[in-house]
Coordinates of all heavy atoms in Angstrom, one line a residue:
G45 N 37.6 99.4 153.4 CA 37.8 98.0 153.6 C 37.6 97.5 155.0 O 37.0 98.1 155.8
P46 N 38.2 96.3 155.3 CA 38.0 95.7 156.5 C 38.6 96.4 157.7 O 39.6 97.1 157.6 CB 38.7 94.3 156.3 CG 39.8 94.7 155.4 CD 39.3 95.7 154.4
A47 N 37.9 96.3 158.8 CA 38.4 96.8 160.1 C 39.2 95.7 160.8 O 39.0 94.5 160.4 CB 37.2 97.3 160.9
P48 N 40.0 96.0 161.7 CA 40.7 94.9 162.4 C 39.7 94.0 163.1 O 38.8 94.4 163.7 CB 41.5 95.7 163.5 CG 41.7 97.0 162.9 CD 40.4 97.3 162.1
E49 N 40.0 92.7 162.9 CA 39.1 91.6 163.5 C 39.8 91.0 164.7 O 39.1 90.3 165.5 CB 38.8 90.6 162.5 CG 38.0 91.0 161.3 CD 37.7 90.0 160.3 OE1 37.9 88.8 160.6 OE2 37.3 90.3 159.1
V50 N 41.0 91.3 164.9 CA 41.7 90.7 166.0 C 41.9 91.9 167.0 O 42.4 92.9 166.7 CB 43.1 90.2 165.6 CG1 43.9 89.8 166.9 CG2 43.0 89.0 164.7
H51 N 41.4 91.6 168.2 CA 41.5 92.6 169.3 C 42.3 92.1 170.4 O 42.1 91.0 170.9 CB 40.1 93.0 169.8 CG 39.2 93.5 168.7 ND1 39.3 94.8 168.2 CD2 38.2 92.9 168.0 CE1 38.4 95.0 167.2 NE2 37.8 93.8 167.1
R52 N 43.3 92.9 170.8 CA 44.3 92.5 171.9 C 44.2 93.5 173.0 O 43.9 94.7 172.7 CB 45.7 92.4 171.3 CG 45.9 91.5 170.2 CD 47.3 91.5 169.6 NE 47.4 90.7 168.5 CZ 47.3 91.1 167.2 NH1 47.1 92.4 167.0 NH2 47.5 90.3 166.2
D53 N 44.6 93.1 174.2 CA 44.7 94.2 175.2 C 45.9 95.0 174.9 O 46.8 94.6 174.0 CB 44.8 93.5 176.6 CG 46.1 92.6 176.7 OD1 47.2 93.1 176.6 OD2 45.9 91.4 177.0
A54 N 46.1 96.2 175.5 CA 47.1 97.1 175.2 C 48.5 96.6 175.3 O 49.4 96.8 174.5 CB 47.0 98.4 176.1
E55 N 48.7 95.8 176.4 CA 50.1 95.2 176.6 C 50.4 94.2 175.4 O 51.5 94.2 174.9 CB 50.1 94.5 177.9 CG 51.5 93.9 178.3 CD 51.5 93.3 179.6 OE1 50.9 93.8 180.5 OE2 52.2 92.3 179.8
T56 N 49.5 93.3 175.1 CA 49.7 92.4 174.0 C 49.9 93.1 172.7 O 50.8 92.7 171.9 CB 48.6 91.3 174.0 OG1 48.4 90.7 175.2 CG2 48.9 90.3 172.9
Q57 N 49.1 94.1 172.4 CA 49.2 94.8 171.2 C 50.6 95.5 171.1 O 51.2 95.6 170.0 CB 48.1 95.9 171.0 CG 48.1 96.6 169.7 CD 47.9 95.6 168.5 OE1 47.0 94.8 168.5 NE2 48.8 95.8 167.4
A58 N 51.1 96.0 172.2 CA 52.4 96.7 172.2 C 53.5 95.7 171.9 O 54.5 96.0 171.2 CB 52.7 97.3 173.6
E59 N 53.4 94.4 172.4 CA 54.3 93.4 172.1 C 54.3 93.0 170.6 O 55.3 92.9 169.9 CB 54.0 92.1 172.9 CG 54.4 92.2 174.3 CD 53.9 91.0 175.1 OE1 53.7 89.9 174.5 OE2 53.7 91.1 176.3
V60 N 53.1 93.0 170.0 CA 52.9 92.7 168.6 C 53.5 93.8 167.8 O 54.2 93.6 166.8 CB 51.4 92.4 168.3 CG1 51.2 92.4 166.8 CG2 50.9 91.1 168.9
D61 N 53.3 95.0 168.2 CA 53.8 96.2 167.5 C 55.4 96.2 167.5 O 56.0 96.4 166.5 CB 53.3 97.5 168.1 CG 51.9 97.8 167.9 OD1 51.3 97.1 167.0 OD2 51.3 98.6 168.6
R62 N 56.0 95.8 168.6 CA 57.4 95.7 168.7 C 57.9 94.6 167.7 O 58.9 94.7 167.0 CB 57.9 95.4 170.1 CG 58.0 96.6 171.0 CD 58.7 96.4 172.3 NE 57.9 95.5 173.2 CZ 56.9 95.8 173.9 NH1 56.5 97.1 173.9 NH2 56.3 94.9 174.7
A63 N 57.2 93.4 167.7 CA 57.6 92.4 166.8 C 57.5 92.8 165.3 O 58.3 92.4 164.5 CB 56.7 91.1 167.0
C64 N 56.5 93.6 165.0 CA 56.3 94.1 163.6 C 57.4 95.0 163.2 O 57.5 95.2 162.0 CB 54.9 94.8 163.5 SG 53.5 93.6 163.5
E65 N 58.1 95.6 164.1 CA 59.2 96.5 163.7 C 60.3 95.7 162.9 O 61.1 96.3 162.1 CB 59.9 97.1 164.9 CG 59.0 98.1 165.6 CD 59.6 98.7 166.9 OE1 60.7 98.3 167.3 OE2 58.9 99.5 167.5
L67 N 59.6 93.7 160.5 CA 58.9 93.3 159.3 C 58.7 94.5 158.3 O 58.5 95.6 158.8 CB 57.6 92.7 159.5 CG 57.5 91.5 160.5 CD1 56.1 91.1 160.8 CD2 58.3 90.3 159.9
R80 N 45.5 91.6 149.0 CA 45.2 90.5 149.9 C 46.1 90.6 151.1 O 45.5 90.4 152.2 CB 45.5 89.2 149.1 CG 44.4 88.8 148.1 CD 44.7 87.4 147.5 NE 44.6 86.4 148.6 CZ 45.3 85.3 148.6 NH1 46.2 85.1 147.7 NH2 45.2 84.5 149.6
V81 N 47.4 90.8 151.0 CA 48.2 90.8 152.1 C 47.9 92.0 153.0 O 47.9 91.9 154.2 CB 49.7 90.8 151.7 CG1 50.7 91.0 152.9 CG2 50.1 89.5 150.9
R82 N 47.7 93.2 152.4 CA 47.4 94.4 153.2 C 46.1 94.2 154.0 O 46.0 94.6 155.1 CB 47.4 95.6 152.3 CG 48.7 96.1 151.8 CD 48.7 97.5 151.2 NE 47.6 97.7 150.4 CZ 47.6 97.6 149.0 NH1 48.7 97.2 148.4 NH2 46.5 97.9 148.3
R83 N 45.1 93.5 153.4 CA 43.9 93.3 154.1 C 44.1 92.4 155.3 O 43.5 92.6 156.3 CB 42.9 92.6 153.1 CG 42.2 93.6 152.2 CD 41.2 92.9 151.3 NE 40.5 93.8 150.5 CZ 39.4 94.5 150.8 NH1 38.9 94.3 152.0 NH2 38.8 95.3 150.0
E84 N 45.0 91.4 155.1 CA 45.3 90.5 156.3 C 46.0 91.2 157.3 O 45.8 91.0 158.5 CB 46.1 89.3 155.8 CG 46.2 88.2 156.8 CD 44.9 87.6 157.3 OE1 43.9 87.7 156.5 OE2 44.9 86.9 158.3
I85 N 46.9 92.1 157.0 CA 47.6 92.9 157.9 C 46.6 93.8 158.7 O 46.7 93.9 160.0 CB 48.7 93.8 157.2 CG1 49.8 93.0 156.7 CG2 49.2 95.0 158.1 CD1 50.8 93.7 155.8
T86 N 45.7 94.4 158.0 CA 44.6 95.1 158.7 C 43.8 94.2 159.6 O 43.5 94.6 160.8 CB 43.7 95.8 157.7 OG1 44.5 96.7 156.9 CG2 42.6 96.6 158.4
R87 N 43.4 93.1 159.1 CA 42.5 92.2 159.9 C 43.2 91.7 161.2 O 42.6 91.6 162.2 CB 42.2 90.9 159.0 CG 41.1 90.1 159.6 CD 40.9 88.8 158.9 NE 41.9 87.8 159.1 CZ 42.1 87.1 160.2 NH1 41.3 87.3 161.2 NH2 43.0 86.2 160.4
L88 N 44.5 91.5 161.1 CA 45.3 91.1 162.2 C 45.8 92.2 163.1 O 46.5 92.0 164.1 CB 46.5 90.2 161.8 CG 46.2 88.9 161.2 CD1 47.4 88.2 160.6 CD2 45.5 87.9 162.2
A89 N 45.4 93.5 162.8 CA 45.8 94.7 163.5 C 47.3 94.8 163.7 O 47.8 94.9 164.8 CB 45.1 94.7 164.9
L90 N 48.0 94.6 162.5 CA 49.5 94.7 162.6 C 50.0 96.1 162.1 O 49.4 96.7 161.2 CB 50.1 93.6 161.7 CG 49.6 92.2 162.1 CD1 50.2 91.2 161.1 CD2 50.0 91.8 163.5
T91 N 51.1 96.5 162.6 CA 51.7 97.8 162.2 C 53.0 97.5 161.4 O 54.1 97.7 161.9 CB 52.0 98.7 163.4 OG1 52.7 98.0 164.3 CG2 50.7 99.2 164.0
I92 N 52.8 97.0 160.2 CA 54.0 96.6 159.4 C 54.3 97.7 158.4 O 53.4 98.3 157.8 CB 53.7 95.3 158.6 CG1 53.5 94.1 159.6 CG2 54.8 95.0 157.6 CD1 53.1 92.8 159.0
E93 N 55.5 98.1 158.3 CA 55.9 99.1 157.4 C 55.6 98.7 155.9 O 56.0 97.6 155.6 CB 57.4 99.5 157.5 CG 57.9 100.6 156.6 CD 59.4 100.8 156.7 OE1 60.0 100.2 157.5 OE2 59.8 101.6 155.9
I94 N 55.0 99.6 155.2 CA 54.7 99.3 153.8 C 55.7 100.1 152.9 O 55.8 101.3 153.1 CB 53.2 99.7 153.5 CG1 52.2 99.1 154.4 CG2 52.9 99.5 152.0 CD1 52.1 97.6 154.3
I137 N 50.6 85.5 154.0 CA 49.4 85.5 154.9 C 49.5 84.3 155.9 O 49.2 84.5 157.1 CB 48.1 85.4 154.0 CG1 47.9 86.7 153.3 CG2 46.9 85.0 154.8 CD1 46.9 86.7 152.2
L140 N 51.9 85.3 158.7 CA 51.3 86.3 159.6 C 50.3 85.7 160.5 O 50.2 86.0 161.7 CB 50.7 87.5 158.8 CG 51.7 88.3 158.0 CD1 51.0 89.3 157.1 CD2 52.7 89.0 158.9
R141 N 49.5 84.8 159.9 CA 48.4 84.1 160.7 C 49.1 83.2 161.8 O 48.6 83.2 162.9 CB 47.5 83.3 159.9 CG 46.5 84.1 159.1 CD 45.6 83.3 158.2 NE 44.7 84.2 157.4 CZ 44.0 83.7 156.4 NH1 44.0 82.5 156.1 NH2 43.2 84.6 155.8
R143 N 52.0 83.5 163.1 CA 52.8 84.3 164.1 C 51.9 85.2 164.9 O 52.2 85.4 166.1 CB 53.9 85.1 163.4 CG 54.8 85.9 164.3 CD 56.1 86.2 163.7 NE 56.9 86.9 164.7 CZ 57.8 87.8 164.4 NH1 58.2 88.0 163.1 NH2 58.5 88.4 165.3
F144 N 50.9 85.8 164.3 CA 50.1 86.8 165.0 C 48.6 86.6 165.2 O 47.9 87.3 165.8 CB 50.3 88.2 164.3 CG 51.7 88.7 164.2 CD1 52.4 88.6 163.0 CD2 52.3 89.1 165.3 CE1 53.7 89.1 162.9 CE2 53.7 89.6 165.2 CZ 54.3 89.6 164.0
G145 N 48.1 85.5 164.6 CA 46.7 85.2 164.6 C 46.3 84.7 166.0 O 47.1 84.3 166.8
E146 N 45.0 84.7 166.2 CA 44.5 84.3 167.5 C 43.9 82.9 167.3 O 43.3 82.5 166.4 CB 43.5 85.2 168.1 CG 44.1 86.5 168.5 CD 43.0 87.4 169.2 OE1 41.9 87.3 168.9 OE2 43.5 88.2 170.0

Side-chain angles (χ1 to χ4, degrees):
E49 294 177 16
V50 174
H51 301 283
R52 302 176 184 95
D53 61 61
E55 185 179 322
T56 305
Q57 185 63 47
E59 289 174 22
V60 168
D61 291 344
R62 278 191 295 278
C64 286
E65 291 175 3
L67 305 175
R80 285 183 63 213
V81 173
R82 289 194 314 268
R83 284 182 175 270
E84 190 64 17
I85 288 170
T86 299
R87 192 187 77 71
L88 292 171
L90 304 176
T91 54
I92 296 174
E93 180 183 355
I94 305 295
I137 289 169
L140 295 174
R141 286 180 181 168
R143 185 157 179 205
F144 300 107
E146 289 185 335

